[in-house]
Amino acid sequence: MSPAATVSSPRTLAGALDALVGATEATLILAGGTDLMVEFQTGRTRPGHVVDVWRVDELRGIRAEPAGLRIGALTTCTELRASALAQEHADILVIAADEVGAEQIQARATIGGNLGTASPAADLTPVLFALEAEVRLVSKAGARSLPVTEFLTGYRKTARRPEELIESILVPTRAPGERRGFRKVGTRRAQSISKVVVAVAVTALDGVIRTLRASAGSVAERTILLPSLERELAGKAPDAAALDRAARRAATADCAPIDDVRSTARYRREVLRRILRTLLAELLLDET
Amino acid sequence: MNGAPDTSFTFTVNGESRTARCAPLARLLDVLREDLRLTGSKEGCGEGECGACTVLVDGVAVNSCLVPVCQVDGAAVATVEGPGLEAVREAFLAEGGAQCGICTPGMIVMTKAWMDECERAGRAPTAEGARKALAGNLCRCTGYGKIIASAVAAARGESR
Ligand SMILES: Cc1cc2nc3c(=O)[nH]c(=O)nc-3n(C[C@H](O)[C@H](O)[C@H](O)COP(=O)(O)OP(=O)(O)OC[C@H]3O[C@@H](n4cnc5c(N)ncnc54)[C@H](O)[C@@H]3O)c2cc1C
Ligand code: FES
Ligand code: FES
């Protein structure tokens, strides 16, 4: 690690924002460290100035607001799993949190860190995409909110400015009758980095689809939306064949998977198609 | 390995107050093993994958290879050497839950965390529960059967 590494560990939000004044691209925010500590260890990232926010309790906690569920950036996967509020308002986020690594990882892996890493394989992020979540960023200069889909700008790139901290995430109130699904295909039950991960939120009336928002991870350089599904299916009362066509279309047109050490692009497209077909059938065909 | 200037960190380890002067980003695992000479916690992978370095921080099981020491300042750390783990250690001996032993400290600490969790939740300890709780602890020797048996025996207070 670089000789210049300095670390501040503020205990309050105000202290954290002060520590971030004058921050540059080289300033690192450290939360649970399950991504960053690995990066330090492997030398992939060198700490220059680190702002360790793990003890900033104002960034924790889950609460219901008129607009939806407000989840503090430092909320861990373990806390999500244990939260009755999260279960009620963001059920698939809880399911996804349960699929992140093993218990030791879940105890430290935060929702803010999952977004902050901007890994295409992140498991919570596709859920936040499907649920149209917003991320709230704060700095000494003020606060702003933006859709998570705009927050992620590329491979390990976000719209966060160096002085900004992810403060919280808002999951909007569930639309009446909205149904949701989540699926992760990895290599092992725990600890696996996703090969393909999918989240879907759909509303239907009398079997006719009104809205359908789906997102996938590990099938492009960043987490993506799958717009073909809504285009193909909105306004229709689909049968199995129509779902199959839409899934095929999304797996062809919406994603751009790569070959890497974990899998091949072809395999990922095929897995995506199958997961979508199964998930959509579960969500749509048994209620008509 | 951390260039940041050394700082003093004070926390309890197995109930005793300890102070370490080290870089804030030093890994808790290294501080335990090298500064405090508690070599029970092992390094298997250094990347959060194997669980050999598992310790409890304020009662919560974490991978000490991923925890910077600055984040445990003022906390209570428990390692495999600590009190309250005798029964689990005995169960691993009695049930043959260890071969080479590298994974064993992590298995024992994680088993303790799982037992505490079962007790808190009022849940009966089952083999399936143990398997899930120990999913982040890898063993290259045993094939897991005896480890799960050891964990369940410990939880049921059955070790001979
Ligand atoms: C063994 C292992 C298994 C894993 N398995 C999974 C898995 O199955 N699924 C999965 O999705 N991930 C997995 N991960 C990755 C990781 O655990 C998650 O991405 C986790 O959510 C990161 O959170 P953190 O708090 O540990 O982040 P950190 O490592 O602390 O930070 C990660 C990034 O986010 C930034 N950041 C964190 N908090 C903030 C904030 N409040 N404001 C601004 N920026 C911030 C940091 O600067 C850094 O760039 C795994 C990691 C390991 C080591
Ligand atoms: S050494 Fe920490 S998890 Fe492997
Ligand atoms: S006993 Fe050798 S790794 Fe588990």
mmCIF file of all heavy atoms in Angstrom, chain B residues 26-70:
data_model
loop_
_atom_site.group_PDB
_atom_site.id
_atom_site.type_symbol
_atom_site.label_atom_id
_atom_site.label_comp_id
_atom_site.label_asym_id
_atom_site.label_seq_id
_atom_site.Cartn_x
_atom_site.Cartn_y
_atom_site.Cartn_z
ATOM 1 N N ALA B 26 -4.403 -2.199 8.661
ATOM 2 C CA ALA B 26 -3.871 -3.545 8.912
ATOM 3 C C ALA B 26 -5.043 -4.496 9.118
ATOM 4 O O ALA B 26 -6.049 -4.134 9.726
ATOM 5 C CB ALA B 26 -2.985 -3.531 10.155
ATOM 6 N N ARG B 27 -4.907 -5.702 8.620
ATOM 7 C CA ARG B 27 -6.002 -6.654 8.745
ATOM 8 C C ARG B 27 -6.079 -7.170 10.182
ATOM 9 O O ARG B 27 -5.059 -7.525 10.769
ATOM 10 C CB ARG B 27 -5.791 -7.840 7.797
ATOM 11 C CG ARG B 27 -5.590 -7.428 6.347
ATOM 12 C CD ARG B 27 -5.428 -8.626 5.446
ATOM 13 N NE ARG B 27 -4.350 -9.510 5.874
ATOM 14 C CZ ARG B 27 -4.135 -10.718 5.369
ATOM 15 N NH1 ARG B 27 -4.944 -11.199 4.431
ATOM 16 N NH2 ARG B 27 -3.140 -11.454 5.790
ATOM 17 N N LEU B 28 -7.278 -7.251 10.709
ATOM 18 C CA LEU B 28 -7.447 -7.777 12.063
ATOM 19 C C LEU B 28 -6.736 -9.124 12.194
ATOM 20 O O LEU B 28 -6.108 -9.404 13.226
ATOM 21 C CB LEU B 28 -8.952 -7.913 12.376
ATOM 22 C CG LEU B 28 -9.300 -8.537 13.723
ATOM 23 C CD1 LEU B 28 -8.685 -7.771 14.886
ATOM 24 C CD2 LEU B 28 -10.822 -8.619 13.886
ATOM 25 N N LEU B 29 -6.789 -9.939 11.156
ATOM 26 C CA LEU B 29 -6.125 -11.246 11.181
ATOM 27 C C LEU B 29 -4.636 -11.109 11.499
ATOM 28 O O LEU B 29 -4.100 -11.836 12.340
ATOM 29 C CB LEU B 29 -6.314 -11.938 9.816
ATOM 30 C CG LEU B 29 -5.593 -13.268 9.613
ATOM 31 C CD1 LEU B 29 -6.104 -14.321 10.579
ATOM 32 C CD2 LEU B 29 -5.766 -13.749 8.161
ATOM 33 N N ASP B 30 -3.970 -10.160 10.830
ATOM 34 C CA ASP B 30 -2.531 -9.977 11.059
ATOM 35 C C ASP B 30 -2.257 -9.414 12.448
ATOM 36 O O ASP B 30 -1.286 -9.788 13.091
ATOM 37 C CB ASP B 30 -1.942 -9.031 10.002
ATOM 38 C CG ASP B 30 -2.056 -9.619 8.600
ATOM 39 O OD1 ASP B 30 -2.004 -10.860 8.481
ATOM 40 O OD2 ASP B 30 -2.219 -8.845 7.641
ATOM 41 N N VAL B 31 -3.117 -8.503 12.886
ATOM 42 C CA VAL B 31 -2.924 -7.919 14.204
ATOM 43 C C VAL B 31 -3.059 -9.006 15.264
ATOM 44 O O VAL B 31 -2.260 -9.094 16.200
ATOM 45 C CB VAL B 31 -3.930 -6.763 14.444
ATOM 46 C CG1 VAL B 31 -3.825 -6.236 15.869
ATOM 47 C CG2 VAL B 31 -3.688 -5.638 13.437
ATOM 48 N N LEU B 32 -4.044 -9.866 15.107
ATOM 49 C CA LEU B 32 -4.234 -10.959 16.073
ATOM 50 C C LEU B 32 -3.034 -11.895 16.061
ATOM 51 O O LEU B 32 -2.479 -12.233 17.105
ATOM 52 C CB LEU B 32 -5.499 -11.758 15.731
ATOM 53 C CG LEU B 32 -6.835 -11.059 16.000
ATOM 54 C CD1 LEU B 32 -7.987 -11.881 15.400
ATOM 55 C CD2 LEU B 32 -7.053 -10.862 17.494
ATOM 56 N N ARG B 33 -2.619 -12.294 14.892
ATOM 57 C CA ARG B 33 -1.578 -13.313 14.783
ATOM 58 C C ARG B 33 -0.192 -12.761 15.105
ATOM 59 O O ARG B 33 0.581 -13.388 15.809
ATOM 60 C CB ARG B 33 -1.568 -13.917 13.375
ATOM 61 C CG ARG B 33 -2.768 -14.821 13.087
ATOM 62 C CD ARG B 33 -2.695 -15.394 11.677
ATOM 63 N NE ARG B 33 -1.431 -16.090 11.449
ATOM 64 C CZ ARG B 33 -1.210 -17.365 11.769
ATOM 65 N NH1 ARG B 33 -2.177 -18.083 12.293
ATOM 66 N NH2 ARG B 33 -0.044 -17.917 11.531
ATOM 67 N N GLU B 34 0.095 -11.559 14.552
ATOM 68 C CA GLU B 34 1.467 -11.061 14.659
ATOM 69 C C GLU B 34 1.674 -10.132 15.845
ATOM 70 O O GLU B 34 2.643 -10.301 16.583
ATOM 71 C CB GLU B 34 1.873 -10.408 13.339
ATOM 72 C CG GLU B 34 2.184 -11.487 12.307
ATOM 73 C CD GLU B 34 2.053 -11.027 10.874
ATOM 74 O OE1 GLU B 34 2.343 -9.844 10.611
ATOM 75 O OE2 GLU B 34 1.661 -11.848 10.024
ATOM 76 N N ASP B 35 0.778 -9.167 16.019
ATOM 77 C CA ASP B 35 0.982 -8.231 17.127
ATOM 78 C C ASP B 35 0.584 -8.858 18.454
ATOM 79 O O ASP B 35 1.243 -8.650 19.466
ATOM 80 C CB ASP B 35 0.176 -6.943 16.900
ATOM 81 C CG ASP B 35 0.626 -6.215 15.646
ATOM 82 O OD1 ASP B 35 0.266 -6.663 14.544
ATOM 83 O OD2 ASP B 35 1.357 -5.227 15.767
ATOM 84 N N LEU B 36 -0.521 -9.594 18.454
ATOM 85 C CA LEU B 36 -1.027 -10.124 19.728
ATOM 86 C C LEU B 36 -0.680 -11.599 19.915
ATOM 87 O O LEU B 36 -1.040 -12.195 20.936
ATOM 88 C CB LEU B 36 -2.549 -9.898 19.819
ATOM 89 C CG LEU B 36 -2.990 -8.437 19.649
ATOM 90 C CD1 LEU B 36 -4.506 -8.313 19.703
ATOM 91 C CD2 LEU B 36 -2.347 -7.544 20.709
ATOM 92 N N ARG B 37 0.007 -12.180 18.947
ATOM 93 C CA ARG B 37 0.492 -13.565 19.067
ATOM 94 C C ARG B 37 -0.618 -14.584 19.321
ATOM 95 O O ARG B 37 -0.410 -15.576 20.013
ATOM 96 C CB ARG B 37 1.541 -13.670 20.187
ATOM 97 C CG ARG B 37 2.735 -12.779 19.965
ATOM 98 C CD ARG B 37 3.728 -13.453 19.039
ATOM 99 N NE ARG B 37 4.708 -12.494 18.528
ATOM 100 C CZ ARG B 37 5.331 -12.617 17.375
ATOM 101 N NH1 ARG B 37 5.086 -13.644 16.587
ATOM 102 N NH2 ARG B 37 6.204 -11.728 16.977
ATOM 103 N N LEU B 38 -1.788 -14.311 18.778
ATOM 104 C CA LEU B 38 -2.875 -15.291 18.863
ATOM 105 C C LEU B 38 -2.962 -15.965 17.500
ATOM 106 O O LEU B 38 -3.606 -15.456 16.580
ATOM 107 C CB LEU B 38 -4.188 -14.602 19.227
ATOM 108 C CG LEU B 38 -4.265 -14.112 20.676
ATOM 109 C CD1 LEU B 38 -5.433 -13.155 20.867
ATOM 110 C CD2 LEU B 38 -4.386 -15.304 21.625
ATOM 111 N N THR B 39 -2.274 -17.081 17.365
ATOM 112 C CA THR B 39 -2.123 -17.672 16.030
ATOM 113 C C THR B 39 -3.188 -18.720 15.716
ATOM 114 O O THR B 39 -3.080 -19.436 14.736
ATOM 115 C CB THR B 39 -0.731 -18.303 15.890
ATOM 116 O OG1 THR B 39 -0.543 -19.201 16.987
ATOM 117 C CG2 THR B 39 0.348 -17.232 15.915
ATOM 118 N N GLY B 40 -4.214 -18.789 16.566
ATOM 119 C CA GLY B 40 -5.294 -19.749 16.288
ATOM 120 C C GLY B 40 -6.016 -19.449 14.993
ATOM 121 O O GLY B 40 -6.263 -20.342 14.169
ATOM 122 N N SER B 41 -6.342 -18.197 14.758
ATOM 123 C CA SER B 41 -7.024 -17.817 13.516
ATOM 124 C C SER B 41 -6.065 -18.022 12.350
ATOM 125 O O SER B 41 -4.917 -17.608 12.412
ATOM 126 C CB SER B 41 -7.467 -16.355 13.579
ATOM 127 O OG SER B 41 -8.205 -16.125 14.771
ATOM 128 N N LYS B 42 -6.545 -18.664 11.307
ATOM 129 C CA LYS B 42 -5.671 -19.022 10.185
ATOM 130 C C LYS B 42 -5.986 -18.205 8.939
ATOM 131 O O LYS B 42 -7.112 -17.762 8.747
ATOM 132 C CB LYS B 42 -5.842 -20.507 9.829
ATOM 133 C CG LYS B 42 -5.617 -21.472 10.976
ATOM 134 C CD LYS B 42 -4.172 -21.437 11.462
ATOM 135 C CE LYS B 42 -3.965 -22.403 12.610
ATOM 136 N NZ LYS B 42 -2.943 -21.952 13.541
ATOM 137 N N GLU B 43 -4.964 -18.079 8.086
ATOM 138 C CA GLU B 43 -5.203 -17.477 6.783
ATOM 139 C C GLU B 43 -5.238 -18.588 5.744
ATOM 140 O O GLU B 43 -4.248 -19.271 5.516
ATOM 141 C CB GLU B 43 -4.107 -16.474 6.422
ATOM 142 C CG GLU B 43 -4.255 -15.994 4.975
ATOM 143 C CD GLU B 43 -3.612 -14.652 4.704
ATOM 144 O OE1 GLU B 43 -2.824 -14.183 5.545
ATOM 145 O OE2 GLU B 43 -3.912 -14.072 3.644
ATOM 146 N N GLY B 44 -6.425 -18.765 5.127
ATOM 147 C CA GLY B 44 -6.519 -19.750 4.062
ATOM 148 C C GLY B 44 -6.375 -19.070 2.712
ATOM 149 O O GLY B 44 -5.566 -19.454 1.877
ATOM 150 N N CYS B 45 -7.147 -18.016 2.518
ATOM 151 C CA CYS B 45 -7.204 -17.398 1.185
ATOM 152 C C CYS B 45 -6.873 -15.909 1.218
ATOM 153 O O CYS B 45 -6.404 -15.352 0.244
ATOM 154 C CB CYS B 45 -8.599 -17.591 0.593
ATOM 155 S SG CYS B 45 -9.874 -16.706 1.522
ATOM 156 N N GLY B 46 -7.176 -15.249 2.310
ATOM 157 C CA GLY B 46 -6.976 -13.803 2.388
ATOM 158 C C GLY B 46 -7.970 -13.000 1.569
ATOM 159 O O GLY B 46 -7.822 -11.801 1.407
ATOM 160 N N GLU B 47 -9.014 -13.660 1.071
ATOM 161 C CA GLU B 47 -9.985 -12.955 0.225
ATOM 162 C C GLU B 47 -11.433 -13.196 0.613
ATOM 163 O O GLU B 47 -12.341 -13.021 -0.195
ATOM 164 C CB GLU B 47 -9.777 -13.354 -1.241
ATOM 165 C CG GLU B 47 -8.404 -12.979 -1.739
ATOM 166 C CD GLU B 47 -8.249 -13.187 -3.236
ATOM 167 O OE1 GLU B 47 -9.240 -13.554 -3.895
ATOM 168 O OE2 GLU B 47 -7.127 -12.992 -3.725
ATOM 169 N N GLY B 48 -11.661 -13.649 1.812
ATOM 170 C CA GLY B 48 -13.042 -13.802 2.261
ATOM 171 C C GLY B 48 -13.743 -15.062 1.781
ATOM 172 O O GLY B 48 -14.940 -15.227 2.019
ATOM 173 N N GLU B 49 -13.006 -15.948 1.142
ATOM 174 C CA GLU B 49 -13.658 -17.110 0.525
ATOM 175 C C GLU B 49 -13.698 -18.342 1.422
ATOM 176 O O GLU B 49 -14.550 -19.199 1.251
ATOM 177 C CB GLU B 49 -12.918 -17.506 -0.765
ATOM 178 C CG GLU B 49 -12.928 -16.458 -1.863
ATOM 179 C CD GLU B 49 -14.216 -16.480 -2.675
ATOM 180 O OE1 GLU B 49 -15.041 -17.382 -2.478
ATOM 181 O OE2 GLU B 49 -14.389 -15.558 -3.507
ATOM 182 N N CYS B 50 -12.742 -18.467 2.363
ATOM 183 C CA CYS B 50 -12.575 -19.771 3.009
ATOM 184 C C CYS B 50 -13.017 -19.837 4.459
ATOM 185 O O CYS B 50 -13.261 -20.923 4.982
ATOM 186 C CB CYS B 50 -11.119 -20.219 2.906
ATOM 187 S SG CYS B 50 -10.014 -19.370 4.077
ATOM 188 N N GLY B 51 -13.084 -18.713 5.136
ATOM 189 C CA GLY B 51 -13.576 -18.715 6.513
ATOM 190 C C GLY B 51 -12.582 -19.185 7.568
ATOM 191 O O GLY B 51 -12.923 -19.226 8.755
ATOM 192 N N ALA B 52 -11.345 -19.519 7.199
ATOM 193 C CA ALA B 52 -10.370 -20.009 8.190
ATOM 194 C C ALA B 52 -10.022 -18.931 9.215
ATOM 195 O O ALA B 52 -9.570 -19.230 10.308
ATOM 196 C CB ALA B 52 -9.098 -20.492 7.493
ATOM 197 N N CYS B 53 -10.243 -17.680 8.840
ATOM 198 C CA CYS B 53 -9.883 -16.543 9.690
ATOM 199 C C CYS B 53 -11.062 -16.028 10.499
ATOM 200 O O CYS B 53 -10.988 -14.949 11.082
ATOM 201 C CB CYS B 53 -9.367 -15.417 8.800
ATOM 202 S SG CYS B 53 -10.666 -14.791 7.707
ATOM 203 N N THR B 54 -12.172 -16.787 10.520
ATOM 204 C CA THR B 54 -13.396 -16.297 11.166
ATOM 205 C C THR B 54 -13.188 -15.998 12.654
ATOM 206 O O THR B 54 -12.647 -16.819 13.394
ATOM 207 C CB THR B 54 -14.529 -17.334 11.025
ATOM 208 O OG1 THR B 54 -14.746 -17.598 9.631
ATOM 209 C CG2 THR B 54 -15.841 -16.832 11.643
ATOM 210 N N VAL B 55 -13.607 -14.815 13.068
ATOM 211 C CA VAL B 55 -13.627 -14.432 14.484
ATOM 212 C C VAL B 55 -14.974 -13.755 14.745
ATOM 213 O O VAL B 55 -15.711 -13.447 13.801
ATOM 214 C CB VAL B 55 -12.481 -13.445 14.854
ATOM 215 C CG1 VAL B 55 -11.117 -14.047 14.551
ATOM 216 C CG2 VAL B 55 -12.650 -12.108 14.134
ATOM 217 N N LEU B 56 -15.282 -13.537 16.005
ATOM 218 C CA LEU B 56 -16.495 -12.787 16.329
ATOM 219 C C LEU B 56 -16.115 -11.362 16.684
ATOM 220 O O LEU B 56 -15.186 -11.143 17.459
ATOM 221 C CB LEU B 56 -17.236 -13.419 17.512
ATOM 222 C CG LEU B 56 -17.593 -14.909 17.420
ATOM 223 C CD1 LEU B 56 -18.350 -15.345 18.676
ATOM 224 C CD2 LEU B 56 -18.422 -15.193 16.179
ATOM 225 N N VAL B 57 -16.792 -10.402 16.093
ATOM 226 C CA VAL B 57 -16.629 -9.004 16.497
ATOM 227 C C VAL B 57 -17.969 -8.561 17.064
ATOM 228 O O VAL B 57 -18.977 -8.585 16.348
ATOM 229 C CB VAL B 57 -16.214 -8.111 15.311
ATOM 230 C CG1 VAL B 57 -16.204 -6.640 15.735
ATOM 231 C CG2 VAL B 57 -14.831 -8.510 14.797
ATOM 232 N N ASP B 58 -17.977 -8.214 18.342
ATOM 233 C CA ASP B 58 -19.230 -7.908 19.038
ATOM 234 C C ASP B 58 -20.266 -9.006 18.797
ATOM 235 O O ASP B 58 -21.443 -8.732 18.538
ATOM 236 C CB ASP B 58 -19.760 -6.525 18.611
ATOM 237 C CG ASP B 58 -18.836 -5.396 19.076
ATOM 238 O OD1 ASP B 58 -18.153 -5.565 20.099
ATOM 239 O OD2 ASP B 58 -18.782 -4.347 18.404
ATOM 240 N N GLY B 59 -19.806 -10.237 18.830
ATOM 241 C CA GLY B 59 -20.705 -11.384 18.719
ATOM 242 C C GLY B 59 -21.056 -11.800 17.302
ATOM 243 O O GLY B 59 -21.745 -12.796 17.104
ATOM 244 N N VAL B 60 -20.589 -11.034 16.319
ATOM 245 C CA VAL B 60 -20.943 -11.320 14.929
ATOM 246 C C VAL B 60 -19.762 -11.972 14.215
ATOM 247 O O VAL B 60 -18.634 -11.470 14.282
ATOM 248 C CB VAL B 60 -21.327 -10.009 14.199
ATOM 249 C CG1 VAL B 60 -21.616 -10.272 12.728
ATOM 250 C CG2 VAL B 60 -22.523 -9.359 14.881
ATOM 251 N N ALA B 61 -20.019 -13.077 13.526
ATOM 252 C CA ALA B 61 -18.941 -13.776 12.814
ATOM 253 C C ALA B 61 -18.545 -13.015 11.561
ATOM 254 O O ALA B 61 -19.392 -12.661 10.741
ATOM 255 C CB ALA B 61 -19.396 -15.184 12.443
ATOM 256 N N VAL B 62 -17.244 -12.751 11.438
ATOM 257 C CA VAL B 62 -16.722 -12.037 10.268
ATOM 258 C C VAL B 62 -15.410 -12.698 9.841
ATOM 259 O O VAL B 62 -14.795 -13.423 10.606
ATOM 260 C CB VAL B 62 -16.456 -10.543 10.575
ATOM 261 C CG1 VAL B 62 -17.729 -9.838 11.014
ATOM 262 C CG2 VAL B 62 -15.377 -10.378 11.636
ATOM 263 N N ASN B 63 -15.005 -12.406 8.613
ATOM 264 C CA ASN B 63 -13.707 -12.869 8.136
ATOM 265 C C ASN B 63 -12.659 -11.836 8.561
ATOM 266 O O ASN B 63 -12.652 -10.714 8.036
ATOM 267 C CB ASN B 63 -13.706 -12.996 6.612
ATOM 268 C CG ASN B 63 -14.665 -14.058 6.124
ATOM 269 O OD1 ASN B 63 -14.701 -15.166 6.658
ATOM 270 N ND2 ASN B 63 -15.462 -13.732 5.123
ATOM 271 N N SER B 64 -11.761 -12.207 9.467
ATOM 272 C CA SER B 64 -10.824 -11.198 9.987
ATOM 273 C C SER B 64 -9.813 -10.763 8.930
ATOM 274 O O SER B 64 -9.139 -9.752 9.094
ATOM 275 C CB SER B 64 -10.114 -11.699 11.247
ATOM 276 O OG SER B 64 -9.341 -12.845 10.968
ATOM 277 N N CYS B 65 -9.716 -11.485 7.825
ATOM 278 C CA CYS B 65 -8.823 -11.049 6.745
ATOM 279 C C CYS B 65 -9.405 -9.861 5.988
ATOM 280 O O CYS B 65 -8.709 -9.218 5.218
ATOM 281 C CB CYS B 65 -8.515 -12.189 5.782
ATOM 282 S SG CYS B 65 -9.912 -12.705 4.754
ATOM 283 N N LEU B 66 -10.701 -9.592 6.186
ATOM 284 C CA LEU B 66 -11.337 -8.481 5.463
ATOM 285 C C LEU B 66 -11.668 -7.308 6.383
ATOM 286 O O LEU B 66 -12.279 -6.335 5.937
ATOM 287 C CB LEU B 66 -12.630 -8.951 4.777
ATOM 288 C CG LEU B 66 -12.507 -10.025 3.695
ATOM 289 C CD1 LEU B 66 -13.870 -10.275 3.057
ATOM 290 C CD2 LEU B 66 -11.505 -9.615 2.624
ATOM 291 N N VAL B 67 -11.296 -7.416 7.644
ATOM 292 C CA VAL B 67 -11.650 -6.353 8.586
ATOM 293 C C VAL B 67 -10.408 -5.534 8.925
ATOM 294 O O VAL B 67 -9.449 -6.075 9.483
ATOM 295 C CB VAL B 67 -12.258 -6.950 9.876
ATOM 296 C CG1 VAL B 67 -12.549 -5.853 10.895
ATOM 297 C CG2 VAL B 67 -13.523 -7.732 9.559
ATOM 298 N N PRO B 68 -10.398 -4.244 8.609
ATOM 299 C CA PRO B 68 -9.270 -3.411 9.001
ATOM 300 C C PRO B 68 -9.361 -3.119 10.492
ATOM 301 O O PRO B 68 -10.456 -2.952 11.034
ATOM 302 C CB PRO B 68 -9.467 -2.139 8.180
ATOM 303 C CG PRO B 68 -10.928 -2.084 7.908
ATOM 304 C CD PRO B 68 -11.430 -3.498 7.872
ATOM 305 N N VAL B 69 -8.210 -3.047 11.138
ATOM 306 C CA VAL B 69 -8.207 -2.918 12.594
ATOM 307 C C VAL B 69 -8.894 -1.632 13.043
ATOM 308 O O VAL B 69 -9.489 -1.577 14.113
ATOM 309 C CB VAL B 69 -6.767 -3.044 13.152
ATOM 310 C CG1 VAL B 69 -5.910 -1.864 12.736
ATOM 311 C CG2 VAL B 69 -6.782 -3.205 14.664
ATOM 312 N N CYS B 70 -8.876 -0.601 12.199
ATOM 313 C CA CYS B 70 -9.525 0.655 12.599
ATOM 314 C C CYS B 70 -11.021 0.457 12.857
ATOM 315 O O CYS B 70 -11.627 1.230 13.580
ATOM 316 C CB CYS B 70 -9.295 1.758 11.556
ATOM 317 S SG CYS B 70 -9.910 1.388 9.906
#
